[in-house]
């Protein structure tokens, strides 16, 4: 059972961490490259602001983005803004998303996200939490995967493992962290099962494309190549 109210609290905490960190950046730092190929920190911040708008749209029952082209253009247009403007936009859009989420609603309803993907409304706050915390890491300003809340790490591993479940381009894969927690992913034949083991944060980093998996061990075959998210 997804506790959307709990997740909204986590979004608030993650947002405050992010705002505090971004508030320390100057214009030059915002213009520097992020860890995402081809994106400056300004691109990441603009994306986070527009994502807050977009997920608010989802909760309202309107299209997440007008189009993929509009989404990309808005990020590109917002990327060069000075640090103060980025921070204001980030704060105001985060507050607006939380305000929409505070309105009385049927959280069991199905909502439509980007590219026709559907999900429960109750999962939208967790999706926002993922955006805020992972992109905080992508900024490359001192917040690392190791700093993520343990609950977030475990739940995002489960979410990403489920995302690749049934994908025939990924071998059947069993994941185990150092605490003995297990997940399954992939869609290849069970007879070709690959088992991957390592620290939970390294499993997450590999699954979400932030680390190359070199800190993990694989048995039954090489470490699977994962499709882009």
């Amino acid at each position: 059972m997804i506790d959307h109210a709990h997740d909204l609290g986590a979004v608030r905490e993650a947002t405050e961490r992010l705002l505090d960190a971004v508030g320390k950046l100057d214009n030059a730092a915002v213009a520097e490259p992020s860890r995402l190929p081809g994106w400056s920190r300004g691109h990441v911040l603009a994306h986070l602001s527009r994502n807050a708008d977009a997920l608010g749209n989802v909760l309202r029952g309107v299209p997440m983005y007008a189009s993929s082209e509009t989404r990309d253009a808005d990020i590109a247009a917002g990327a060069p803004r000075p640090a103060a403007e980025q921070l204001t936009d980030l704060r105001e859009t985060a507050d607006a998303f939380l305000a929409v989420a505070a309105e009385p609603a049927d959280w069991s309803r199905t909502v439509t996200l980007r590219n026709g993907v559907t999900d429960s409304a109750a999962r939208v706050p967790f999706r926002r939490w993922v955006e805020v915390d992972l992109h905080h890491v992508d900024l490359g300003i001192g917040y690392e995967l190791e700093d993520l809340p343990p609950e977030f790490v475990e739940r995002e591993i489960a979410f990403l493992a489920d995302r690749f479940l049934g994908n025939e381009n990924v071998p059947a894969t069993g994941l185990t962290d150092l605490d003995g927690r297990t997940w399954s992913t992939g869609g290849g034949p069970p007879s070709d099962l690959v088992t991957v083991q390592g620290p939970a944060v390294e499993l997450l980093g590999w699954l979400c494309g932030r680390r190359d998996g070199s800190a993990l061990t694989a048995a039954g075959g090489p470490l699977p190549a994962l499709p882009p998210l």
Side-chain angles (χ1 to χ4, degrees):
M1 190 75 173
I2 302 169
D3 186 345
H4 72 275
H6 167 81
D7 288 350
L8 286 170
V11 171
R12 290 187 187 92
E13 292 176 3
T15 300
E16 286 304 314
R17 286 194 297 270
L18 177 65
L19 290 171
D20 182 65
V22 173
K24 298 172 184 175
L25 301 180
D26 59 19
N27 293 342
V30 167
E32 289 174 353
S34 74
R35 291 173 173 173
L36 295 180
W39 271 19
S40 68
R41 291 185 179 123
H43 283 88
V44 175
L45 295 174
H47 165 62
L48 279 166
S49 295
R50 301 290 71 78
N51 173 263
D53 291 337
L55 290 178
N57 288 340
V58 168
L59 292 179
R60 292 189 187 94
V62 299
M64 187 170 181
Y65 295 102
S67 67
S68 293
E69 293 77 15
T70 299
R71 170 190 176 272
D72 295 345
D74 286 345
I75 293 170
R81 295 174 300 174
E85 288 186 29
Q86 297 278 13
L87 182 62
T88 297
D89 193 18
L90 194 62
R91 180 182 291 109
E92 290 179 349
T93 54
D95 288 346
F97 168 76
L98 291 171
V100 173
E103 297 173 0
D106 174 13
W107 286 94
S108 67
R109 72 192 187 280
T110 298
V111 295
T112 302
L113 297 128
R114 192 181 176 204
N115 298 325
V117 173
T118 59
D119 203 350
S120 166
R123 199 188 295 272
V124 171
F126 181 69
R127 287 179 175 271
R128 178 59 182 172
W129 186 9
V130 171
E131 293 286 332
V132 173
D133 253 348
L134 282 187
H135 285 316
H136 191 168
V137 173
D138 293 333
L139 289 172
I141 54 176
Y143 189 70
E144 303 295 340
L145 293 178
E146 286 78 8
D147 298 313
L148 294 168
E151 177 196 352
F152 176 93
V153 173
E154 182 176 2
R155 289 178 61 187
E156 182 64 354
I157 290 173
F159 180 81
L160 293 173
D162 186 66
R163 181 167 181 164
F164 296 126
L165 195 62
N167 188 322
E168 295 182 356
N169 294 319
V170 179
T173 305
L175 309 173
T176 305
D177 74 359
L178 299 185
D179 293 326
R181 293 173 295 189
T182 61
W183 302 267
S184 297
T185 195
S191 57
D192 296 334
L193 179 70
V194 177
T195 57
V196 177
Q197 185 173 15
V201 72
E202 295 292 346
L203 289 171
L204 172 61
W206 171 62
L207 287 167
C208 71
R210 267 70 177 182
R211 297 211 174 149
D212 62 8
S214 59
L216 303 172
T217 59
L223 187 71
L226 299 177
L229 293 174

